[in-house]
Amino acid sequence: MDIAWSRYENPWRIVGVYLVAGILWILFSDHLINLLAVDHAVYMRFQSAKGGIFVALTAFLLYIQVKKDYARIAGLSRTVFSVNRELTAYAEDIRSKDLELQKKNASLNQTLDALTAQNQFIQEVYRNSNTIIMIWNETGAIRDVNDAFQPLFGYPRDEILGAKWADLLLADDEKETLAERLRRLQAEGVGGHLENRMRHKSGEVLHILWNETFMRQSLWGEPVIVSFGIDLTSEKAKEKQIRNLAYRDPLTGLQNRIVFEDQIQTMLDTATPFAVYALDIDNFRTVNDLFGHRTGDLFLNEMARRLTAHFIFSALYTWGGDTFFLLDPHIGKADLDRTVATVFDALESTWEIGDLAYKPSLCIGIAVYPRDGSTLDELLQSLDIALNKAKSRGKGSVSRFEQTLLQEVFSRNQLERSIEDALEKDGFLLHYQPIYAMPDKKLHGFEALLRWSLQGIPFQTGELISFAEETQHIIDIDFWVIRHAFGFLQRLPAGSPLLLSINLSAKTVVSGRLLPFLETCLAAMPVKPGSVQFEITEHSLIYDSQISRATMKGLKELGFLIALDDFGTQYSSLNYLVDMPFDTLKIDKSYVDKVLDHKRGEIIVAMIINLGKQLDIASVAEGIEQPDQWDKLLELGCDLGQGYLLDRPMPEEEALSLLVNRTAPETKPGG
């Protein structure tokens, strides 16, 4: 269309046609006129006609040419108009599309900006996240790590990239799981939580929890695994600490009661025979009270250390006390004896704990499954009975559960009821053993001693006291003794200078009930407090030293005298001789027995007597049975004495009759 149009719009074409037509007309018309014209006038008329014809012909030709051109121009105009309309529509469409493109371009720019920001954000998160990020390929080679990875594992970036992470970082016993881990990732695309023990460059073990994604396309042109890790090392340490708190004794680190009972139940469920030992430290509370709880804790730790040196850790248990437990699958008699011997071997040498040198002892109770019980409760009950039996036999005793011990428990229940009945019905008796002055054998006073017969058979006072302390009846018994002893004092002649000694249990001293009870007694039974001396053992002082001191202070404020009984037989300490207001020191019979036969015994007795004199404290020797003992004690300067050589303990009426002759007999009465 462009070539044709250019042909029509060339003006020289019309000019050329006009010139050619004009020249031909002039040439041919002039020649024709010359042939036809005979004179000048005709010639002129022909010339005029020729001009008119030329003009007409020219006008006709121009008309034809213009008409053709007009038609063509009109067609072209219509075409141009149509094209113009199309171009206008196209231009509108272009403008519309341009606006749309501008909007899309703006949106694209916004998206690009967002992607750029998001990429920067991802890079920031990737680089600065506390989460460990490691990218590795299917061969295990590390492609990239984030900034959190490097300080955690101790490797610089250039040293870690390209390395096989499993060889470099994974604990040896976990490498076998890597192939299966990779297969699962390839199949499923993602991996669940997986915990690994990893190695720091220094060799330290780290606990890492991974979550992983398998990516088939990556920046490296190969499939990669993106592993996101969290360092659980500190949490594992805390978890271990919590587990220890839940399942370990916090002081010794040994397994506690939860593990102990679970282990027993497991062995019961599998019908596995075993022996269980209860190891109870003798007089441990005394160690705590005398030397302090810090020393007591050191003692328990030393006990645990020695036991773990002889037995496997998993067999030992304890929880918050002075009793240790041992489980052993060997139940033969020889096995039991060997285990007991091993326990005592652990205690053989003297322990040096801080500044304290101490040789402990313990009692052992033993129960065996299935003979001594088929359930946890039955077995522990049998063990408890066996241990209590061992403790009742004295320090360092061992007792294996027997059915007869169960009968003893029932008998103990009956005995407890009998004690309660005796308290209610005044079933006890008091006997009084005279105490004499050493130089002149003049009667100085009496010691009130408890007596009891059960079904007509005399019951050993020591056993009664021990049992009453165990069953918490001892305080009521002590109060019974005080009331009846005060009654004895009221029967003495008016103005009698005699002194009455009354023994007090450690539990009574620290009960908090003694002083109010004595105030009530003094109000109801007007005796002179200065004629009453309460005998308190060293054990009472260290049972609860703070309360003991307060009680002794209260006794002195009420006007009573105080004697330290059995001095030197337990944890002798000179501190409480200085700090506490004793009036008398009682020398135990065990020292009196040795005063003649052992030079050391004589030295110890002499030291006690001299110590008393220097502190202005009277000394009383107990258990004098031989004249030579009396003479030796007199020689050493002892102030007072009592024992079978002088008089046995006697009923109240006999004691009152003794007041007629207030001198000791010259010989030991009655054999």
Side-chain angles (χ1 to χ4, degrees):
M1 184 177 71
D2 292 340
I3 298 175
W5 174 251
S6 64
R7 186 172 68 245
Y8 297 142
E9 66 185 3
N10 186 359
W12 293 107
R13 178 177 174 275
I14 297 175
V15 172
V17 171
Y18 180 76
L19 287 174
V20 171
I23 292 171
L24 290 175
W25 172 258
I26 291 171
L27 291 176
F28 286 109
S29 64
D30 286 344
H31 182 70
L32 181 60
I33 290 172
N34 290 328
L35 289 178
L36 294 177
V38 289
D39 56 23
H40 182 72
V42 174
Y43 178 80
M44 292 302 292
R45 284 194 291 277
F46 272 115
Q47 284 292 339
S48 299
K50 181 185 73 165
I53 293 171
F54 177 78
V55 171
L57 182 61
T58 303
F60 177 74
L61 290 173
L62 286 173
Y63 170 77
I64 294 301
Q65 185 63 40
V66 169
K67 185 177 180 180
K68 286 178 63 180
D69 289 344
Y70 179 78
R72 290 187 184 116
I73 290 171
L76 288 174
S77 295
R78 287 192 297 272
T79 300
V80 168
F81 181 75
S82 175
V83 171
N84 183 63
R85 282 191 303 175
E86 290 179 3
L87 288 174
T88 301
Y90 184 68
E92 291 295 330
D93 186 54
I94 288 176
R95 281 195 297 272
S96 175
K97 291 186 179 297
D98 183 61
L99 290 174
E100 184 178 353
L101 285 174
Q102 289 179 8
K103 292 180 180 178
K104 289 184 177 180
N105 185 57
S107 176
L108 183 62
N109 288 334
Q110 290 178 352
T111 303
L112 183 60
D113 291 341
L115 288 174
T116 302
Q118 185 177 21
N119 183 61
Q120 291 176 346
F121 175 75
I122 292 173
Q123 287 297 321
E124 289 291 323
V125 171
Y126 178 74
R127 292 300 174 194
N128 301 322
S129 173
N130 291 329
T131 300
I132 311 158
I133 302 176
M134 176 177 67
I135 302 175
W136 49 287
N137 64 15
E138 292 173 301
T139 69
I142 297 175
R143 289 306 187 193
D144 196 15
V145 294
N146 71 339
D147 294 344
F149 188 96
Q150 301 170 50
L152 181 64
F153 289 96
Y155 289 95
R157 184 182 181 82
D158 57 353
E159 188 175 343
I160 199 76
L161 294 182
K164 298 290 183 69
W165 74 270
D167 296 336
L168 189 65
L169 303 173
L170 199 60
D172 294 337
D173 57 351
E174 297 202 6
K175 291 180 181 179
E176 59 186 7
T177 65
L178 187 60
E180 176 59 31
R181 176 175 176 175
L182 184 57
R183 281 194 296 271
R184 186 173 65 253
L185 283 168
Q186 291 169 335
E188 301 177 5
V190 294
H193 296 307
L194 180 64
E195 186 177 329
N196 283 133
R197 290 188 302 108
M198 314 282 284
R199 292 192 305 262
H200 186 273
K201 188 175 184 179
S202 65
E204 177 190 357
V205 175
L206 305 173
H207 294 268
I208 308 296
L209 180 65
W210 296 106
N211 197 303
E212 299 173 321
T213 300
F214 184 80
M215 303 183 67
R216 299 192 179 280
Q217 296 181 341
S218 70
L219 298 174
W220 295 271
E222 61 179 344
V224 296
I225 297 91
V226 181
S227 298
F228 301 90
I230 299 175
D231 180 16
L232 299 180
T233 306
S234 61
E235 283 74 10
K236 285 290 183 180
K238 293 176 183 176
E239 181 182 314
K240 181 179 179 181
Q241 183 180 9
I242 293 172
R243 188 166 55 249
N244 285 343
L245 290 174
Y247 301 114
R248 298 284 182 87
D249 174 59
L251 177 62
T252 63
L254 295 181
Q255 300 167 107
N256 65 9
R257 183 173 185 170
I258 295 175
V259 186
F260 175 69
E261 292 185 353
D262 283 348
Q263 182 60 31
I264 289 180
Q265 191 60 56
T266 299
M267 299 174 82
L268 292 175
D269 293 341
T270 57
T272 303
F274 64 94
V276 56
Y277 301 76
L279 319 175
D280 188 83
I281 302 170
D282 295 322
N283 299 327
F284 179 71
R285 181 169 181 176
T286 301
V287 175
N288 263 341
D289 291 341
L290 187 60
F291 302 110
H293 287 278
R294 185 180 298 275
T295 299
D297 290 346
L298 293 174
F299 179 92
L300 291 175
N301 276 316
E302 177 64 14
M303 182 75 176
R305 188 191 69 79
R306 293 197 176 217
L307 289 175
T308 51
H310 291 78
F311 300 97
I312 59 174
F313 176 83
S314 59
L316 294 168
Y317 310 83
T318 189
W319 50 89
D322 58 349
T323 303
F324 292 77
F325 296 87
L326 171 66
L327 290 178
D328 191 345
H330 306 97
I331 62 172
K333 184 180 184 305
D335 298 317
L336 300 180
D337 292 342
R338 187 181 308 111
T339 299
V340 169
T342 302
V343 171
F344 283 120
D345 285 345
L347 310 179
E348 182 62 27
S349 60
T350 299
W351 296 11
E352 296 197 7
I353 303 174
D355 297 330
L356 171 65
Y358 184 75
K359 186 172 183 180
S361 65
L362 51 79
C363 289
I364 302 177
I366 308 171
V368 175
Y369 170 78
R371 195 197 73 162
D372 300 332
S374 58
T375 67
L376 175 64
D377 289 341
E378 289 178 359
L379 202 60
L380 294 184
Q381 180 186 31
S382 298
L383 181 65
D384 192 49
I385 291 172
L387 178 61
N388 287 335
K389 182 61 178 178
K391 292 165 70 174
S392 70
R393 290 173 177 168
K395 296 169 59 175
S397 297
V398 179
S399 177
R400 179 176 174 179
F401 177 79
E402 303 288 348
Q403 286 299 319
T404 55
L405 296 183
L406 191 58
Q407 295 299 323
E408 286 185 20
V409 171
F410 294 137
S411 298
R412 286 168 62 87
N413 290 335
Q414 294 175 348
L415 178 59
E416 187 172 355
R417 288 194 294 271
S418 297
I419 290 175
E420 292 170 353
D421 189 60
L423 285 168
E424 183 180 349
K425 300 178 180 178
D426 274 346
F428 297 115
L429 292 173
L430 284 184
H431 282 194
Y432 300 89
Q433 184 172 35
I435 301 172
Y436 293 96
M438 293 293 289
D440 54 12
K441 294 187 181 180
K442 290 292 185 179
L443 182 62
H444 180 78
F446 294 94
E447 179 178 358
L449 300 172
L450 184 65
R451 295 292 184 263
W452 185 44
S453 294
L454 185 59
Q455 298 178 351
I457 301 174
F459 200 93
Q460 290 292 328
T461 303
E463 293 183 14
L464 171 62
I465 298 302
S466 297
F467 184 79
E469 287 182 337
E470 293 177 20
T471 58
Q472 307 303 317
H473 289 93
I474 189 62
I475 299 174
D476 292 330
I477 290 177
D478 279 354
F479 288 177
W480 186 95
V481 170
I482 292 171
R483 280 196 304 269
H484 287 75
F486 279 18
F488 171 75
L489 282 175
Q490 288 184 303
R491 297 187 63 189
L492 294 179
S496 173
L498 295 182
L499 183 70
L500 180 62
S501 288
I502 302 173
N503 291 281
L504 288 177
S505 164
K507 292 192 175 182
T508 301
V509 172
V510 300
S511 67
R513 297 169 52 192
L514 177 61
L515 296 178
F517 174 76
L518 288 174
E519 290 172 352
T520 302
C521 287
L522 289 175
M525 307 170 68
V527 300
K528 294 180 179 179
S531 63
V532 178
Q533 177 171 265
F534 287 109
E535 296 189 10
I536 298 175
T537 63
E538 292 181 81
H539 180 62
S540 300
L541 302 176
I542 56 180
Y543 190 77
D544 192 321
S545 61
Q546 186 174 358
I547 297 179
S548 296
R549 290 172 184 269
T551 300
M552 293 181 65
K553 180 181 178 183
L555 290 175
K556 295 300 289 185
E557 289 175 351
L558 290 174
F560 295 105
L561 303 180
I562 303 175
L564 179 58
D565 196 13
D566 301 335
F567 179 71
T569 60
Q570 297 188 34
Y571 302 89
S572 301
S573 173
L574 299 181
N575 287 332
Y576 46 69
L577 285 181
V578 175
D579 297 338
M580 295 186 179
F582 292 112
D583 300 286
T584 303
L585 284 179
K586 298 202 74 172
I587 304 170
D588 189 70
K589 183 179 183 300
S590 61
Y591 290 128
V592 173
D593 289 342
K594 298 174 183 177
V595 75
L596 297 177
D597 301 331
H598 300 275
K599 187 64 177 175
R600 290 185 178 181
E602 179 182 339
I603 292 173
I604 291 174
V605 172
M607 289 178 62
I608 295 173
I609 293 171
N610 290 331
L611 182 62
K613 289 185 180 300
Q614 293 177 28
L615 296 175
D616 197 22
I617 300 175
S619 55
V620 181
E622 295 183 294
I624 303 173
E625 296 180 350
Q626 301 175 30
D628 290 345
Q629 290 176 339
W630 175 275
D631 294 339
K632 176 56 71 174
L633 291 166
L634 182 61
E635 176 188 333
L636 294 175
C638 186
D639 298 309
L640 304 166
Q642 66 185 95
Y644 281 11
L645 174 68
L646 307 169
D647 270 313
R648 292 174 177 272
M650 58 190 68
E652 182 174 322
E653 296 300 328
E654 188 175 337
L656 291 172
S657 67
L658 185 63
L659 295 176
V660 176
N661 182 7
R662 304 177 73 178
T663 327
E666 291 298 327
T667 58
K668 179 182 175 182

